[in-house]
Amino acid sequence: MQKYPVADILDVCVEAGRVMLENGAETYRVEDTLYRIAKSYNLVYINVFVVPTALILTVQGEDGQDHTELLRMTDRQTNLEKVSMVNDLSRQLAQRALAPDKVKLKLTNIKNTPRNFSTWQRNLAIAFACGSFPLLFGGTYDDMLPAFIAGGLGHILFEVVNDWTNVSFFAEMVASFFIGLLALLFTTSGFGDDVNIIIIGSVMSLVPGMAITNSFRDLMAGHLLAGVAVLAKAFLTAGAIGIGIAMVLTFL
Amino acid sequence: MNLNHLAYFIAALVATFGFGVLYNVPTRTLFASSFAGAVGWIVYYILSFQLELDLFVGVGVAAFLVAYFSQWYARHFKMPVIVFAIPGIIPLVPGGSAYNMMRAFIEGSSEMALMYATETFLISGAIALGLSVNSGLFQVFSNRAFEKRDKRYLP
């Protein structure tokens, strides 16, 4: 097998980790993938440490020198297609180690893959999802249209404010306040049955369900630090939604 | 199975589909993950609301089922499990109890709030438990060459 400089291999590993972590992979999956990539290049003493905001990778090359790289993460989103693509790449590498340059090119391609749906299609999809939640939470068919409107507009407002201020806590608070206000307006004007059901249904687009569940999985897998960090983020989000709704409920 | 079940099934399907689009699930697996989510929710509904078992049991079984579907799909489509599991569990997420908890806190009835908080905590715990138990079982039983297999990196 051909030999490559350790620094190049580390770059590839860190880049792969960045793409995975940025797009919402669990921490244990990132650790596992980086370990496998490093191992496919015959490195030894591989140690990976991943938390949701940072990534540290230490390996030893065949010259006995230790190499470390640290990556600080700032923004996170959820794009499961990219996670799956990096996963595929790591499988390919496990079968046949490619030159680091080629892998880097493939990672850049993955990073530049556009989303499957435009912003409007996404907002429409989330509006439909919010519209169907009232049925699942024990509401009536009359609650579906108000939740559709409130949930869709609320999510659009969330994205706009989030882009604008870059503080997701504030954006969630504003969006949930708006949703609550809209739901209250609908029910007082006789459009829709139960204000609680409408609010629950439309707020589901902001609820950190994924964060709560992922954090529990991390905790059960023994990744205590990552689990607690994600749980803290989930509680912060839930608190933001709660405050936004609370401001509306005081009008009741 | 009557018309009500069908309506609930379609509602859960649409909800999961919407979140799949939001999380940018690969297009060819969108319907697969929606189906897993809808089946999971219907099982939760039948167990917890019609047979009147504990919410914890219903959600746990439903999450286990969603995870089972996801593992099967993951092998079929050759993609990671989370591509299917994350949209699939969305209808089970305890949004209702979390909202009721917040509302009870604001209205000053902290006993009710604590009750809802326990419910929220238990349901999210049950979801995680269902997923973990399933992945643990799959780890043990899916690979015949269990002894020879490379160990997962679990520090």
Side-chain angles (χ1 to χ4, degrees):
Chain A
M1 201 186 114
Q2 208 182 332
K3 281 206 177 59
Y4 304 107
V6 179
D8 285 359
I9 301 170
L10 266 189
D11 275 353
V12 165
C13 289
V14 167
E15 201 58 31
R18 178 211 291 273
V19 174
M20 289 188 88
L21 207 56
E22 251 177 7
N23 291 303
E26 313 103 304
T27 46
Y28 78 81
R29 181 180 302 282
V30 180
E31 288 190 349
D32 193 45
T33 308
L34 293 196
Y35 180 78
R36 276 160 201 268
I37 293 178
K39 195 149 195 212
S40 67
Y41 287 105
N42 290 335
L43 298 176
V44 287
Y45 298 118
I46 306 160
N47 275 294
V48 196
F49 177 73
V50 178
V51 283
T53 51
L55 182 164
I56 306 172
L57 176 61
T58 299
V59 297
Q60 198 177 79
E62 281 174 6
D63 52 355
Q65 286 265 324
D66 280 327
H67 296 258
T68 300
E69 219 164 289
L70 165 70
L71 176 81
R72 181 75 173 83
M73 297 285 311
T74 45
D75 60 326
R76 298 194 77 189
Q77 46 177 341
T78 309
N79 187 334
L80 295 177
E81 188 169 31
K82 288 187 184 175
V83 174
S84 137
M85 284 161 110
V86 176
N87 214 52
D88 277 352
L89 187 64
S90 87
R91 269 166 206 259
Q92 284 173 28
L93 288 178
Q95 285 169 356
R96 194 169 60 89
L98 294 166
D101 294 352
K102 282 185 188 164
V103 182
K104 225 181 261 181
L105 203 69
K106 283 191 175 182
L107 281 171
T108 322
N109 281 343
I110 292 177
K111 249 201 285 185
N112 292 336
T113 316
R115 278 183 174 264
N116 289 329
F117 303 96
S118 67
T119 318
W120 283 109
Q121 282 169 324
R122 263 183 292 149
N123 281 328
L124 198 66
I126 210 71
F128 271 111
C130 289
S132 59
F133 272 119
L135 220 52
L136 304 185
F137 288 122
T140 56
Y141 292 98
D142 294 340
D143 294 331
M144 290 175 82
L145 194 60
F148 172 85
I149 298 169
L153 290 180
H155 190 256
I156 292 173
L157 186 71
F158 167 71
E159 291 210 322
V160 168
V161 177
N162 197 20
D163 275 353
W164 190 28
T165 60
N166 262 328
V167 186
S168 64
F169 181 81
F170 181 69
E172 278 144 6
M173 208 169 74
V174 170
S176 59
F177 176 72
F178 176 74
I179 285 172
L181 215 60
L182 218 56
L184 205 60
L185 213 69
F186 283 148
T187 42
T188 45
S189 60
F191 180 41
D193 272 348
D194 190 347
V195 68
N196 295 323
I197 298 287
I198 296 175
I199 291 179
I200 295 171
S202 9
V203 135
M204 280 302 279
S205 65
L206 310 170
V207 163
M210 180 182 147
I212 291 176
T213 314
N214 259 1
S215 76
F216 270 81
R217 291 184 77 186
D218 274 336
L219 285 174
M220 283 182 186
H223 289 224
L224 303 178
L225 210 54
V228 171
V230 179
L231 198 64
K233 167 87 176 126
F235 273 126
L236 202 64
T237 310
I241 296 171
I243 291 168
I245 295 292
M247 284 197 284
V248 178
L249 288 182
T250 49
F251 295 148
L252 275 181
Chain B
M1 281 288 175
N2 52 20
L3 211 61
N4 246 349
H5 284 89
L6 192 68
Y8 289 150
F9 185 84
I10 290 172
L13 196 79
V14 171
T16 319
F17 188 89
F19 274 87
V21 171
L22 185 70
Y23 295 151
N24 203 31
V25 170
T27 327
R28 63 197 178 97
T29 67
L30 256 177
F31 278 104
S33 51
S34 313
F35 183 72
V39 170
W41 199 84
I42 279 293
V43 166
Y44 164 60
Y45 179 75
I46 291 174
L47 285 182
S48 288
F49 293 97
Q50 293 195 322
L51 300 181
E52 293 183 345
L53 294 171
D54 271 346
L55 287 181
F56 183 83
V57 177
V59 171
V61 171
F64 184 87
L65 208 65
V66 169
Y68 185 84
F69 269 97
S70 307
Q71 296 274 4
W72 193 84
Y73 284 141
R75 277 154 184 72
H76 184 255
F77 289 105
K78 295 202 171 21
M79 281 180 188
V81 177
I82 53 163
V83 170
F84 310 97
I86 285 182
I89 56 165
I90 285 286
L92 303 174
V93 162
S97 358
Y99 169 80
N100 283 332
M101 170 187 83
M102 213 58 220
R103 177 157 187 180
F105 266 127
I106 287 153
E107 286 171 347
S109 48
S110 28
E111 264 179 41
M112 287 292 283
L114 223 55
M115 201 192 82
Y116 282 122
T118 318
E119 196 179 290
T120 312
F121 187 76
L122 277 179
I123 291 179
S124 34
I127 294 174
L129 197 69
L131 296 176
S132 318
V133 167
N134 186 281
S135 73
L137 286 180
F138 254 85
Q139 287 282 323
V140 175
F141 290 116
S142 69
N143 206 328
R144 294 245 174 93
F146 183 59
E147 306 277 311
K148 292 180 202 161
R149 197 163 49 119
D150 209 20
K151 248 197 163 170
R152 280 179 80 85
Y153 177 73
L154 286 173

